[in-house]
Amino acid sequence: MKKYLEILKKCPLFYNIDGEDIEKMLHCLGAKVDTFDKKYTIFREGDPAKYLGIVLSGEVQVTQTDYFGNRTILSNMGVSELFAEAFAAAGTTSMPVSVIASEKSEIMFIDCNHILHTCKNGCSFHHQLIFNLMKDLADKAVMFQQRIEIISKRTTREKLLSYLMACSKNFGTNSFVIPFDRQELADFLGVDRSGLSVEISKLKKEGVIDSHRSRFKLL
């Protein structure tokens, strides 16, 4: 586990915890690591919600598919980020989403019960761990609210511009790379891909944005 320490230090779950303590903690928490190929479904809708995941390498997408087979991308998680923690912490009986490796990925799994219930060793850093988990859940709630604001817009154009302006604010620049290709962006915004492409072309002609693949610039 030592080789993952630098990554784990950047993970919200281990904020303000020493590397030496993280090593001890991983043993106490029964953490395990597995590798998944691109497009492998790590968690499937309906699976028991017991473990949270930490991306050690690669990238994963949290998705949901409706009755008619339409996919919505809820979030994209990169190295050192957490996923499925809300469902695991809530004790959800079955996952309402799927988690898919968008590229070959190494994932660390931790049983959330081991976090929420302190062990017999009485580890001094366990309270910090619980605090970090609660802080992460609060941050995710804020991000979810931002997503609702974006997808609640009436038109594809409004959804796209709202998303791009949010990205510009988060990155602190008017030029940035989004973590989606065109189809994934359409799935994230909940719109038709062809309609999205039309709006991007219109906005480029109007001089509102410039774009090339996943790179966008607000003009």
Side-chain angles (χ1 to χ4, degrees):
M1 295 292 184
K2 186 172 289 188
K3 66 178 181 178
Y4 302 118
L5 274 183
E6 291 307 311
I7 295 169
L8 294 174
K9 285 178 184 178
K10 299 174 185 176
C11 177
L13 186 62
F14 299 108
Y15 173 75
N16 213 23
I17 298 175
D18 295 345
E20 189 176 316
D21 286 338
I22 292 175
E23 278 195 87
K24 295 176 185 175
M25 185 182 298
L26 294 178
H27 176 72
C28 186
L29 295 174
K32 57 182 182 178
V33 176
D34 208 344
T35 302
F36 301 93
D37 290 330
K38 183 178 180 178
K39 296 187 177 179
Y40 189 92
T41 302
I42 299 167
F43 290 145
R44 193 178 302 277
E45 288 186 48
D47 284 351
K50 183 178 180 182
Y51 295 93
L52 61 81
I54 302 171
V55 183
L56 300 175
S57 68
E59 196 172 67
V60 304
Q61 289 181 342
V62 181
T63 70
Q64 198 166 44
T65 305
D66 66 19
Y67 180 80
F68 301 102
N70 299 310
R71 181 184 72 158
T72 300
I73 296 176
L74 302 176
S75 57
N76 202 73
M77 301 297 175
V79 174
S80 80
E81 292 188 295
L82 287 163
F83 62 87
E85 68 274 33
F87 307 118
T92 308
T93 54
S94 62
M95 293 279 288
V97 300
S98 293
V99 180
I100 301 168
S102 46
E103 56 185 76
K104 187 172 182 179
S105 304
E106 282 182 290
I107 307 297
M108 176 176 286
F109 296 100
I110 298 175
D111 185 332
C112 203
N113 280 327
H114 292 169
I115 298 174
L116 296 175
H117 300 94
T118 55
C119 68
K120 61 184 180 181
N121 297 327
C123 305
S124 60
F125 42 72
H126 207 120
H127 293 297
Q128 181 68 43
L129 189 71
I130 295 173
F131 174 84
N132 290 346
L133 177 60
M134 296 303 103
K135 175 68 166 57
D136 172 76
L137 292 173
D139 289 342
K140 292 283 177 67
V142 172
M143 290 171 59
F144 183 67
Q145 178 61 37
Q146 184 182 67
R147 173 176 162 73
I148 290 176
E149 290 177 7
I150 292 170
I151 64 175
S152 65
K153 303 299 182 186
R154 289 175 178 251
T155 66
T156 298
R157 182 189 181 98
E158 289 173 341
K159 290 180 181 182
L160 174 62
L161 285 175
S162 181
Y163 172 67
L164 294 178
M165 285 188 284
C167 287
S168 177
K169 184 177 180 180
N170 291 337
F171 284 113
T173 175
N174 68 328
S175 181
F176 46 85
V177 177
I178 65 172
F180 305 120
D181 60 25
R182 284 289 186 271
Q183 183 60 60
E184 290 170 340
L185 179 57
D187 291 342
F188 179 79
L189 297 175
V191 300
D192 178 71
R193 177 179 175 174
S194 59
L196 175 64
S197 296
V198 168
E199 288 302 329
I200 290 174
S201 295
K202 284 182 180 179
L203 289 167
K204 288 173 72 173
K205 287 179 181 177
E206 293 169 17
V208 178
I209 66 170
D210 190 17
S211 71
H212 178 65
R213 296 185 178 178
S214 295
R215 177 169 289 281
F216 284 83
K217 185 176 183 179
L218 294 179
L219 304 175

